[in-house]
Amino acid sequence: MTCDLKALLRSDQTSFGTWTQIAAPELVDLIGLNGFGFTIIDCQHGPFGIETAENLARAADANGIASAVRLADNDPVQIMKALDAGIRHVVIPNLETAEAAQQAVAATQFAPHGLRGACPCCRSGGHFIRNWTEYVAIEEARVGAIALVETIKGVENIEEIVSVPGLTALMCGPFDLSVSMGYEGNWRAPEVGAAVAHMVGAAAAAGVPVMMPVFSPDKDEARRLIENWRSLGVTTFVVGSDKILIADAFSRWTEYLAK
């Protein structure tokens, strides 16, 4: 049975996932077989679209791990396509206002609750085999929108964003936020850390779970970062990415063999 991302986010137990930016189902196999609980399929920075993401999600399903997809923007049509493909959660990048969060949540729900287009013939709907009424009840309970807040404007509006009903989680974006704040990718800058901590506090006050990216391939630094965010109540972490983790493994081997 595929892991439930909502259950992971609401659990007191710490869970780890990563990003999938390489369009290879075998890598999703390895993510699952190595004990990660979820992966986020990246259709924003990954060079592929929903057609490829659907097959990557199948690999996640086969390995019993949860999957979400980061879309390129807050487009209700793309949200619909991702959910119809059977990917249960969408990560919306550059989310900056409560109105944008409301639009994303509405795009995950069928009428009369939202504006998601209804089709029983998609993968999520069981290709016209499932009972529609039963499917809608199950689907609306398990899908959701995750707000990726990664700009100064988003930080300024964070209290309103996390107050939007139906939002599954907040994801902080330290790297993009560092660029937005003028630190040119230096996500370790104390000012960036303070802004992220402010977002974590706002989410906690609103009862919204947080997903925290941890970029560093250095195990000791990653552990320190995770312990810091744990102390603030974060339990769900997105560690590196397939590219970061593979590059780190390659570099350790080349360094070892060069000795």
Side-chain angles (χ1 to χ4, degrees):
M1 180 178 294
T2 300
C3 189
D4 182 349
L5 186 57
K6 281 188 176 179
L8 288 180
L9 288 163
R10 294 288 179 183
S11 174
D12 292 333
Q13 299 298 312
T14 303
S15 59
F16 299 99
T18 190
W19 294 94
T20 291
Q21 293 183 315
I22 300 173
E26 294 89 347
L27 281 176
V28 179
D29 291 340
L30 290 171
I31 290 168
L33 291 168
N34 277 286
F36 286 100
F38 65 91
T39 191
I40 302 174
I41 300 164
D42 192 355
C43 283
Q44 182 186 23
H45 295 296
F48 50 78
I50 293 298
E51 297 89 343
T52 297
E54 180 179 23
N55 285 326
L56 295 172
R58 284 192 172 100
D61 291 347
N63 286 278
I65 64 173
S67 64
V69 59
R70 175 164 66 175
L71 299 175
D73 55 26
N74 191 8
D75 179 355
V77 173
Q78 292 304 309
I79 292 173
M80 177 193 69
K81 284 181 173 291
L83 299 180
D84 282 358
I87 308 170
R88 293 176 182 169
H89 280 82
V90 289
V91 177
I92 308 300
N94 300 314
L95 202 145
E96 296 184 320
T97 66
E99 291 76 16
Q102 290 165 353
Q103 176 180 309
V105 171
T108 69
Q109 302 290 304
F110 298 110
H113 309 116
L115 47 82
R116 178 180 172 185
C119 176
C121 298
C122 59
R123 177 176 181 246
S124 177
H127 305 295
F128 207 67
I129 295 171
R130 292 179 183 155
N131 175 277
W132 176 257
T133 302
E134 293 176 357
Y135 160 68
V136 169
I138 294 170
E139 181 76 349
E140 294 203 333
R142 69 186 181 184
V143 303
I146 297 167
L148 175 51
V149 178
E150 49 191 343
T151 65
I152 294 174
K153 183 177 179 180
V155 174
E156 292 172 348
N157 293 325
I158 192 63
E159 284 82 7
E160 292 79 13
I161 290 170
V162 295
S163 297
V164 170
L167 195 67
T168 296
L170 167 71
M171 178 182 287
C172 301
F175 193 91
D176 274 284
L177 180 58
S178 75
V179 175
S180 176
M181 294 177 68
Y183 291 99
E184 300 180 341
N186 180 17
W187 54 268
R188 295 180 178 88
E191 294 82 358
V192 177
V196 175
H198 172 68
M199 290 196 286
V200 171
V208 175
V210 174
M211 303 180 80
M212 184 63 68
V214 178
F215 297 115
S216 178
D218 181 82
K219 293 179 182 178
D220 292 333
E221 183 181 28
R223 186 180 294 277
R224 288 194 300 270
L225 289 167
I226 289 167
E227 289 302 324
N228 176 62
W229 296 122
R230 271 178 174 160
S231 71
L232 297 180
V234 179
T235 61
T236 307
F237 297 92
V238 191
V239 180
S241 71
D242 50 8
K243 292 182 180 181
I244 291 173
L245 299 178
I246 291 170
D248 176 60
F250 284 170
S251 68
R252 285 187 283 111
W253 270 101
T254 54
E255 289 170 5
Y256 171 75
L257 294 172
K259 292 180 181 179

